[in-house]
Amino acid sequence: MRGLIELLSLISDGQYHSGESLGQHLNISRASIWKRIQVLQSMGFEIYSIRGKGYRLVDAIELLDKQKILSNIGSTETLASLEVLSEIDSTNAYMLSKAGQISTPAACLSESQTAGRGRRGKPWVSPFGSNIYLSLLWTAHGGLQSLDGLSLMIGVSIAKTLSGLECPDVQLKWPNDIYANKKKLGGVLVELTGNWMDQAHVVIGIGLNQRITQEQRQHIEQPIVDLAELGWSGSRNELAGKLINQLLLDLRAFEEKGFSMFQDDWNARNVYEGCSVEVLQPRSRLLGECQGVNERGELLLKTEQGILKVHSGELSLRPISREV
Ligand code: BTN
């Protein structure tokens, strides 16, 4: 519906705005404003409406702003391009479609995704205006092996960015989940295209929960946490910019030295360190004590047969002890 996002941005400050002034701004009638307010409410935005005062968004939101994001990318590593979209099926799918046609590294953020995708074919619930949906298109030289540990390194970059913005206690779950309070705060989905032996186009997709309503949580099949619950109420544009900045710096280091220089940082944030865990593979299940990761990003599992190294892929890890 035309003007929906403009309307949301006009009331995003959490103050009252009359139907008349909103109508004037958007050049539509008060009745049309009311219809759009109802659509926004059906999308999960809580909006008060008081006769004589107008409309107020209960929780003020900060819409993505390209200039503000760019001003937070102070990196010596340059970003070739940044796109900020209102809606897209999936930022990963979008960037994959651009691979080979645009200069890299290139980033894309969207306010919402209609077909956001997670690992193992799961959907990624992506409501409008309150979370981070970011994809970075990057070119990797040096074949598939040079990508060992990439998604773990991305987890470290995200955790470092959040710590730098004073969001405490972010942990990592092998291979690519971001955790806090023992619940999922975000995830990483790395997808590849191109000639893997020589030059691979890599799309690094990151989803981070900033604010997810109770209603939206019903569509997510695991316990999740958002930044608001963790007491973090910083700027989404600053978070997006600082995250891109950290990714650019860390990707450069990763390209030169591989995962080994991120190994200690990852292990220091391992949510299941020392816990009994099971690794679910497509046709089998491994049990053992989680002992972090090695310099290639493989999970080290202490079993009766000795230390097993588990390579990531379509695997998932979960604790056996209920305490973790
Ligand atoms: C996971 O399953 O934990 C990975 C989730 C990755 C979600 C992000 S949101 C931005 C990017 N676009 C997508 O469609 N998926 C990734």
Side-chain angles (χ1 to χ4, degrees):
M1 187 184 267
R2 189 178 69 83
L4 211 55
I5 287 151
E6 290 85 343
L7 176 59
L8 191 59
S9 99
L10 287 172
I11 60 169
S12 61
D13 58 5
Q15 305 296 314
Y16 275 103
H17 296 268
S18 72
E20 194 177 345
S21 69
L22 294 170
Q24 276 167 5
H25 267 101
L26 298 178
N27 209 13
I28 53 177
S29 68
R30 277 163 56 192
S32 304
I33 292 289
W34 170 230
K35 273 195 202 133
R36 283 162 177 75
I37 291 285
Q38 286 175 306
V39 175
L40 290 175
Q41 286 171 328
S42 72
M43 286 165 70
F45 292 101
E46 208 182 334
I47 300 172
Y48 286 163
S49 124
I50 295 188
R51 195 181 287 275
K53 276 182 105 175
Y55 304 104
R56 181 172 91 79
L57 187 64
V58 175
D59 293 313
I61 57 167
E62 183 199 13
L63 294 176
L64 294 173
D65 178 319
K66 184 172 170 175
Q67 288 317 316
K68 286 188 187 155
I69 296 169
L70 286 173
S71 71
N72 281 288
I73 308 178
S75 185
T76 44
E77 303 298 326
T78 43
L79 183 69
S81 63
L82 170 67
E83 257 193 284
V84 177
L85 309 168
S86 285
E87 185 181 278
I88 191 78
D89 51 356
S90 149
T91 54
N92 264 30
Y94 182 67
M95 288 315 250
L96 279 170
S97 76
K98 303 251 170 195
Q101 297 168 35
I102 59 171
S103 306
T104 59
C108 158
L109 284 144
S110 185
E111 289 284 9
S112 65
Q113 298 184 115
T114 53
R117 50 201 201 204
R119 288 182 66 232
R120 286 177 288 126
K122 290 192 180 153
W124 188 257
V125 173
S126 309
F128 186 94
S130 43
N131 303 303
I132 296 282
Y133 317 117
L134 164 69
S135 293
L136 186 74
L137 177 63
W138 178 65
T139 308
H141 307 273
L144 260 194
Q145 277 209 336
S146 69
L147 298 178
D148 279 346
L150 174 65
S151 60
L152 283 83
M153 177 234 104
I154 304 296
V156 171
S157 297
I158 297 169
K160 283 198 289 198
T161 306
L162 288 168
S163 305
L165 292 171
E166 286 171 16
C167 176
D169 303 329
V170 174
Q171 291 187 294
L172 299 170
K173 185 188 133 191
W174 187 88
N176 30 10
D177 283 345
I178 315 302
Y179 261 51
N181 288 354
K182 292 168 185 161
K183 293 183 214 157
K184 185 154 169 166
L185 176 66
V188 177
L189 176 67
V190 174
E191 299 185 87
L192 303 174
T193 171
N195 175 1
W196 296 356
M197 301 311 290
D198 173 21
Q199 196 183 69
H201 303 298
V202 182
V203 174
I204 297 161
I206 297 173
L208 260 183
N209 307 328
Q210 186 167 9
R211 189 183 292 274
I212 306 257
T213 64
Q214 289 309 322
E215 201 277 323
Q216 289 156 357
R217 282 170 200 237
Q218 287 168 14
H219 306 284
I220 304 174
E221 62 183 34
Q222 60 182 314
I224 62 144
V225 66
D226 61 22
L227 291 170
E229 266 174 277
L230 298 177
W232 191 83
S233 56
S235 153
R236 195 155 62 112
N237 287 307
E238 183 181 4
L239 171 56
K242 296 250 160 84
L243 178 55
I244 293 171
N245 191 52
Q246 190 67 53
L247 289 168
L248 294 175
L249 292 170
D250 287 343
L251 280 167
R252 167 69 67 202
F254 180 83
E255 208 169 27
E256 284 165 9
K257 304 212 169 84
F259 177 71
S260 60
M261 66 173 296
F262 298 91
Q263 181 189 358
D264 290 347
D265 263 347
W266 197 97
N267 283 330
R269 294 182 162 93
N270 179 12
V271 67
Y272 293 147
E273 183 61 31
C275 298
S276 297
V277 292
E278 61 178 353
V279 180
L280 301 174
Q281 298 179 308
R283 275 186 212 83
S284 62
R285 170 174 175 254
L286 299 170
L287 297 175
E289 184 189 304
C290 180
Q291 297 209 328
V293 295
N294 66 11
E295 70 292 343
R296 297 184 58 197
E298 292 164 324
L299 182 74
L300 301 175
L301 214 53
K302 188 174 164 199
T303 69
E304 281 169 8
Q305 293 76 44
I307 304 282
L308 285 185
K309 292 179 198 161
V310 190
H311 196 74
S312 77
E314 289 302 284
L315 309 179
S316 65
L317 174 80
R318 62 181 197 208
I320 296 177
S321 146
R322 286 282 130 222
E323 285 172 17
V324 179

